[in-house]
mmCIF file of all heavy atoms in Angstrom:
data_model
loop_
_atom_site.group_PDB
_atom_site.id
_atom_site.type_symbol
_atom_site.label_atom_id
_atom_site.label_comp_id
_atom_site.label_asym_id
_atom_site.label_seq_id
_atom_site.Cartn_x
_atom_site.Cartn_y
_atom_site.Cartn_z
ATOM 1 N N VAL A 103 55.959 -0.791 34.950
ATOM 2 C CA VAL A 103 55.215 -0.744 36.237
ATOM 3 C C VAL A 103 55.662 -1.853 37.119
ATOM 4 O O VAL A 103 55.867 -1.674 38.332
ATOM 5 C CB VAL A 103 53.721 -0.650 35.979
ATOM 6 C CG1 VAL A 103 53.001 -0.792 37.336
ATOM 7 C CG2 VAL A 103 53.326 0.642 35.327
ATOM 8 N N LEU A 104 55.693 -3.103 36.560
ATOM 9 C CA LEU A 104 56.095 -4.244 37.375
ATOM 10 C C LEU A 104 57.523 -4.113 37.945
ATOM 11 O O LEU A 104 57.742 -4.393 39.122
ATOM 12 C CB LEU A 104 56.049 -5.488 36.527
ATOM 13 C CG LEU A 104 54.691 -6.159 36.443
ATOM 14 C CD1 LEU A 104 54.685 -7.294 35.433
ATOM 15 C CD2 LEU A 104 54.195 -6.640 37.804
ATOM 16 N N ALA A 105 58.452 -3.598 37.177
ATOM 17 C CA ALA A 105 59.809 -3.371 37.657
ATOM 18 C C ALA A 105 59.809 -2.376 38.807
ATOM 19 O O ALA A 105 60.521 -2.555 39.792
ATOM 20 C CB ALA A 105 60.742 -2.909 36.510
ATOM 21 N N ALA A 106 59.042 -1.315 38.645
ATOM 22 C CA ALA A 106 58.962 -0.322 39.697
ATOM 23 C C ALA A 106 58.336 -0.859 40.993
ATOM 24 O O ALA A 106 58.803 -0.608 42.117
ATOM 25 C CB ALA A 106 58.164 0.881 39.224
ATOM 26 N N LEU A 107 57.297 -1.673 40.810
ATOM 27 C CA LEU A 107 56.663 -2.306 42.017
ATOM 28 C C LEU A 107 57.587 -3.248 42.736
ATOM 29 O O LEU A 107 57.590 -3.264 43.957
ATOM 30 C CB LEU A 107 55.372 -3.041 41.549
ATOM 31 C CG LEU A 107 54.180 -2.181 41.123
ATOM 32 C CD1 LEU A 107 53.057 -3.044 40.529
ATOM 33 C CD2 LEU A 107 53.683 -1.298 42.250
ATOM 34 N N GLN A 108 58.390 -3.981 42.024
ATOM 35 C CA GLN A 108 59.406 -4.859 42.627
ATOM 36 C C GLN A 108 60.441 -4.079 43.397
ATOM 37 O O GLN A 108 60.813 -4.436 44.502
ATOM 38 C CB GLN A 108 60.094 -5.681 41.554
ATOM 39 C CG GLN A 108 59.138 -6.789 41.008
ATOM 40 C CD GLN A 108 59.718 -7.497 39.796
ATOM 41 O OE1 GLN A 108 60.782 -7.125 39.245
ATOM 42 N NE2 GLN A 108 59.015 -8.572 39.373
ATOM 43 N N ARG A 109 60.884 -2.909 42.867
ATOM 44 C CA ARG A 109 61.805 -2.092 43.617
ATOM 45 C C ARG A 109 61.162 -1.467 44.873
ATOM 46 O O ARG A 109 61.911 -1.164 45.823
ATOM 47 C CB ARG A 109 62.307 -0.944 42.677
ATOM 48 C CG ARG A 109 63.300 -1.384 41.687
ATOM 49 C CD ARG A 109 64.003 -0.206 40.989
ATOM 50 N NE ARG A 109 63.136 0.720 40.362
ATOM 51 C CZ ARG A 109 62.630 0.644 39.144
ATOM 52 N NH1 ARG A 109 62.894 -0.393 38.398
ATOM 53 N NH2 ARG A 109 61.832 1.591 38.675
ATOM 54 N N MET A 110 59.883 -1.374 44.875
ATOM 55 C CA MET A 110 59.130 -0.883 46.027
ATOM 56 C C MET A 110 58.806 -2.027 47.045
ATOM 57 O O MET A 110 58.094 -1.824 48.021
ATOM 58 C CB MET A 110 57.862 -0.183 45.606
ATOM 59 C CG MET A 110 58.041 1.066 44.841
ATOM 60 S SD MET A 110 56.551 1.725 44.031
ATOM 61 C CE MET A 110 55.601 2.206 45.496
ATOM 62 N N SER A 111 59.302 -3.236 46.784
ATOM 63 C CA SER A 111 59.056 -4.389 47.637
ATOM 64 C C SER A 111 57.615 -4.834 47.686
ATOM 65 O O SER A 111 57.102 -5.348 48.666
ATOM 66 C CB SER A 111 59.606 -4.199 49.046
ATOM 67 O OG SER A 111 60.967 -3.901 49.019
ATOM 68 N N TYR A 112 56.882 -4.546 46.646
ATOM 69 C CA TYR A 112 55.480 -5.002 46.520
ATOM 70 C C TYR A 112 55.398 -6.517 46.454
ATOM 71 O O TYR A 112 56.144 -7.104 45.614
ATOM 72 C CB TYR A 112 54.836 -4.289 45.329
ATOM 73 C CG TYR A 112 53.376 -4.749 45.133
ATOM 74 C CD1 TYR A 112 52.404 -4.358 46.079
ATOM 75 C CD2 TYR A 112 52.957 -5.479 44.022
ATOM 76 C CE1 TYR A 112 51.073 -4.685 45.923
ATOM 77 C CE2 TYR A 112 51.604 -5.818 43.886
ATOM 78 C CZ TYR A 112 50.714 -5.425 44.800
ATOM 79 O OH TYR A 112 49.353 -5.749 44.655
ATOM 80 N N GLU A 113 54.525 -7.124 47.165
ATOM 81 C CA GLU A 113 54.472 -8.596 47.295
ATOM 82 C C GLU A 113 53.297 -9.184 46.528
ATOM 83 O O GLU A 113 53.007 -10.369 46.704
ATOM 84 C CB GLU A 113 54.472 -9.014 48.721
ATOM 85 C CG GLU A 113 55.678 -8.561 49.543
ATOM 86 C CD GLU A 113 55.605 -8.947 50.982
ATOM 87 O OE1 GLU A 113 54.533 -9.355 51.422
ATOM 88 O OE2 GLU A 113 56.607 -8.800 51.692
ATOM 89 N N GLY A 114 52.642 -8.502 45.714
ATOM 90 C CA GLY A 114 51.458 -8.983 45.018
ATOM 91 C C GLY A 114 51.570 -8.983 43.530
ATOM 92 O O GLY A 114 52.638 -8.809 42.991
ATOM 93 N N GLY A 115 50.497 -9.293 42.896
ATOM 94 C CA GLY A 115 50.441 -9.386 41.466
ATOM 95 C C GLY A 115 50.013 -8.023 40.856
ATOM 96 O O GLY A 115 49.771 -7.056 41.526
ATOM 97 N N TYR A 116 49.953 -8.040 39.534
ATOM 98 C CA TYR A 116 49.569 -6.849 38.739
ATOM 99 C C TYR A 116 48.792 -7.380 37.584
ATOM 100 O O TYR A 116 49.077 -8.429 37.068
ATOM 101 C CB TYR A 116 50.844 -6.070 38.320
ATOM 102 C CG TYR A 116 50.559 -4.833 37.551
ATOM 103 C CD1 TYR A 116 50.124 -3.715 38.218
ATOM 104 C CD2 TYR A 116 50.641 -4.797 36.143
ATOM 105 C CE1 TYR A 116 49.844 -2.559 37.478
ATOM 106 C CE2 TYR A 116 50.348 -3.672 35.428
ATOM 107 C CZ TYR A 116 49.957 -2.548 36.106
ATOM 108 O OH TYR A 116 49.628 -1.387 35.368
ATOM 109 N N PRO A 117 47.649 -6.757 37.160
ATOM 110 C CA PRO A 117 47.328 -5.372 37.252
ATOM 111 C C PRO A 117 46.537 -4.982 38.482
ATOM 112 O O PRO A 117 46.548 -3.792 38.866
ATOM 113 C CB PRO A 117 46.475 -5.151 36.009
ATOM 114 C CG PRO A 117 45.846 -6.428 35.702
ATOM 115 C CD PRO A 117 46.831 -7.458 36.122
ATOM 116 N N THR A 118 45.909 -5.944 39.212
ATOM 117 C CA THR A 118 45.192 -5.504 40.407
ATOM 118 C C THR A 118 46.238 -5.415 41.549
ATOM 119 O O THR A 118 46.936 -6.351 41.846
ATOM 120 C CB THR A 118 44.134 -6.627 40.847
ATOM 121 O OG1 THR A 118 43.208 -6.771 39.721
ATOM 122 C CG2 THR A 118 43.367 -6.197 42.058
ATOM 123 N N MET A 119 46.310 -4.242 42.086
ATOM 124 C CA MET A 119 47.275 -3.932 43.145
ATOM 125 C C MET A 119 46.561 -3.673 44.429
ATOM 126 O O MET A 119 45.598 -2.906 44.489
ATOM 127 C CB MET A 119 48.108 -2.707 42.710
ATOM 128 C CG MET A 119 49.354 -2.531 43.565
ATOM 129 S SD MET A 119 50.299 -1.109 43.014
ATOM 130 C CE MET A 119 49.572 0.152 43.958
ATOM 131 N N LEU A 120 47.081 -4.300 45.532
ATOM 132 C CA LEU A 120 46.468 -4.145 46.798
ATOM 133 C C LEU A 120 47.407 -3.398 47.768
ATOM 134 O O LEU A 120 48.572 -3.721 47.866
ATOM 135 C CB LEU A 120 46.117 -5.531 47.423
ATOM 136 C CG LEU A 120 45.140 -6.369 46.637
ATOM 137 C CD1 LEU A 120 45.003 -7.775 47.234
ATOM 138 C CD2 LEU A 120 43.812 -5.663 46.507
ATOM 139 N N LYS A 121 46.825 -2.433 48.459
ATOM 140 C CA LYS A 121 47.595 -1.545 49.334
ATOM 141 C C LYS A 121 48.291 -2.391 50.451
ATOM 142 O O LYS A 121 49.437 -2.151 50.792
ATOM 143 C CB LYS A 121 46.661 -0.551 49.970
ATOM 144 C CG LYS A 121 47.294 0.330 51.047
ATOM 145 C CD LYS A 121 46.355 1.411 51.529
ATOM 146 C CE LYS A 121 45.204 0.797 52.335
ATOM 147 N NZ LYS A 121 44.302 1.773 52.927
ATOM 148 N N LYS A 122 47.554 -3.392 50.960
ATOM 149 C CA LYS A 122 48.125 -4.188 52.102
ATOM 150 C C LYS A 122 49.341 -4.973 51.771
ATOM 151 O O LYS A 122 50.024 -5.522 52.656
ATOM 152 C CB LYS A 122 46.979 -5.085 52.655
ATOM 153 C CG LYS A 122 46.560 -6.197 51.690
ATOM 154 C CD LYS A 122 45.384 -6.998 52.252
ATOM 155 C CE LYS A 122 44.915 -8.044 51.282
ATOM 156 N NZ LYS A 122 43.734 -8.757 51.792
ATOM 157 N N LEU A 123 49.665 -5.153 50.486
ATOM 158 C CA LEU A 123 50.858 -5.925 50.088
ATOM 159 C C LEU A 123 52.099 -5.085 49.901
ATOM 160 O O LEU A 123 53.118 -5.613 49.444
ATOM 161 C CB LEU A 123 50.496 -6.716 48.793
ATOM 162 C CG LEU A 123 49.365 -7.728 48.927
ATOM 163 C CD1 LEU A 123 49.053 -8.374 47.588
ATOM 164 C CD2 LEU A 123 49.644 -8.750 50.037
ATOM 165 N N PHE A 124 52.061 -3.836 50.281
ATOM 166 C CA PHE A 124 53.162 -2.988 50.337
ATOM 167 C C PHE A 124 53.849 -2.943 51.677
ATOM 168 O O PHE A 124 53.117 -3.133 52.722
ATOM 169 C CB PHE A 124 52.790 -1.515 49.987
ATOM 170 C CG PHE A 124 52.675 -1.263 48.543
ATOM 171 C CD1 PHE A 124 51.481 -1.179 47.913
ATOM 172 C CD2 PHE A 124 53.824 -1.030 47.737
ATOM 173 C CE1 PHE A 124 51.339 -0.928 46.534
ATOM 174 C CE2 PHE A 124 53.744 -0.744 46.384
ATOM 175 C CZ PHE A 124 52.513 -0.675 45.796
#
Side-chain angles (χ1 to χ4, degrees):
V103 171
L104 276 172
L107 289 173
Q108 289 171 351
R109 286 192 304 275
M110 294 169 67
S111 302
Y112 178 66
E113 298 176 352
Y116 181 78
T118 302
M119 192 176 90
L120 299 174
K121 175 177 70 176
K122 65 183 178 185
L123 299 177
F124 277 103

